[in-house]
Amino acid sequence: MKSCHVKMKNTIPLCHLHCKGCFCINNAERSPECSTYCMDDTTLQQFIRRKIDTDEASDVVFTWHDGESMPGRRHFFERVIELQQQYAQSKNIINIFQTNGILLDDNWCEFFKENQFMICISVDSDVSLHDNVRETISGKSTNYQIESTARLLRKYDIEFSTLTVVSAVNSQYPLRIYHYLKSLGSRHMQFIPLLKPLVQGGVDERSLGPAALGIFLKTIFYTWVRLDIGTIKIPIFEHVFAAWCGLSVPTCVYASYDDSALALKISDDNYHCDRFVNSKYYMSDSNQTIATTMQQNSTNQKVALSKPTLLEPCASCKVEFACHGGCAKDRIVLSQYGVPQLNYFCESYQAFFTYVEPYMLMMRALWEHNYAPSDIRQYLT
């Protein structure tokens, strides 16, 4: 069953934080079209109805990236719930709310709990490292606000996950970050590598080194597979297992053309991905129906266009089946033709996917014999 993953995004220039690793701020600075803010009720109705109609899966997932402008926005999400119930048919509607969490309060938590929202909060490290990357626009500290938010979510028994941007700074403390996220109560951890190319060449000093991501992931995997497999979800680890078993992968970054994602700005502008909210990857505006755009995306036409054909070094790589060249935005290394076509994190992917191969083979064997892959823990010392 095909499912078109759509993320509704508010405009990041409205955010009350100024995170040094935020790729959306850079998008807005480079592309004026990213700074508009508008969504009327007609557009909202069309989006929700078409999203449900075109999604072939029984579970229809809506991801809302709207936390930065939360004050006064509850009425918008009350309308969202009303429209979803109106158009749901027999499908199960799942709402994911991605936010920095700073403005969450009891009223919001009551609403989220009542309507079974899943929350994703952005947190990059513990207190001593956190201010290096996340602060308010006025420069005020966000030290303990994330921990307060996590306590509030636990108070209301709201399921939440964490999204961590891995930079040159926090990548040096993989286990410290992992255990900190566990202490917050996160049972679903997503790690996004920071890579910010500079116009004049090279990358920003906060970006990861080509090998740093692999070291970070290997270190966490070693602990996770021995202690927490089966209880803590980490998308890239789930992806690796899916790749080794020949299953559809849950992570679009490492997908071929069979999985897709779509970012829909609140102004009804459409982009292939929230990493590519700029004119180069602009798909349609309000003059083109959402239905047409989403149908094109669900048949992966836009994915095929955005993920160029792999070069021979990638095609012949033994881990190509697991990474498929990685995210298109990270292909900034010059090929033999002098064109940026190779993935910046290639060294990391080769190291990580090679490292986990023995574990994946064992987990696949367990799965093929109707055992839980997490049973691997009892064979590890």
Side-chain angles (χ1 to χ4, degrees), residues 15-23 25 65 68 98-102 120-127 129-137 139-146 162-167 170 190 192 206:
C15 184
H16 56 283
L17 296 186
H18 192 80
C19 304
K20 297 175 183 177
C22 181
F23 52 81
I25 290 177
H65 193 297
E68 293 75 18
Q98 186 173 322
T99 174
N100 55 50
I102 303 302
C120 176
I121 57 176
S122 302
V123 52
D124 297 334
S125 60
D126 59 19
V127 170
L129 291 175
H130 194 70
D131 281 345
N132 289 327
V133 290
R134 294 186 186 272
E135 60 183 21
T136 63
I137 291 177
K140 293 182 179 180
S141 169
T142 61
N143 269 0
Y144 297 100
Q145 291 172 292
I146 293 296
T162 51
L163 187 154
T164 300
V165 175
V166 185
S167 68
N170 62 6
Q190 182 177 358
I192 299 179
R206 299 194 60 82

Side-chain angles (χ1 to χ4, degrees), residues 1 8 19-20 25 37 41 56 60 89 120 129 141 152 162 182 209 294-295 300 304 311 324 341 366 379:
M1 301 291 285
M8 285 294 296
C19 304
K20 297 175 183 177
I25 290 177
Y37 176 85
D41 191 70
E56 299 177 12
V60 182
Q89 304 168 36
C120 176
L129 291 175
S141 169
L152 189 62
T162 51
K182 284 177 61 176
M294 292 174 65
Q295 186 61 42
N300 303 303
L311 299 181
H324 293 290
Q341 295 176 301
L366 289 167
Y379 301 104

Side-chain angles (χ1 to χ4, degrees), residues 313-371:
C314 292
S316 61
C317 176
K318 68 175 183 178
V319 299
E320 183 276 335
F321 76 98
C323 81
H324 293 290
C327 182
K329 80 173 183 63
D330 296 335
R331 298 185 190 180
I332 65 172
V333 177
L334 299 181
S335 67
Q336 60 180 330
Y337 307 108
V339 180
Q341 295 176 301
L342 300 176
N343 197 294
Y344 177 84
F345 293 113
C346 179
E347 182 179 351
S348 284
Y349 292 147
Q350 291 192 38
F352 174 67
F353 291 131
T354 300
Y355 173 78
V356 299
E357 180 176 16
Y359 298 95
M360 293 302 116
L361 293 176
M362 186 180 298
M363 291 165 61
R364 185 178 68 184
L366 289 167
W367 175 67
E368 289 175 342
H369 288 84
N370 297 318
Y371 291 98

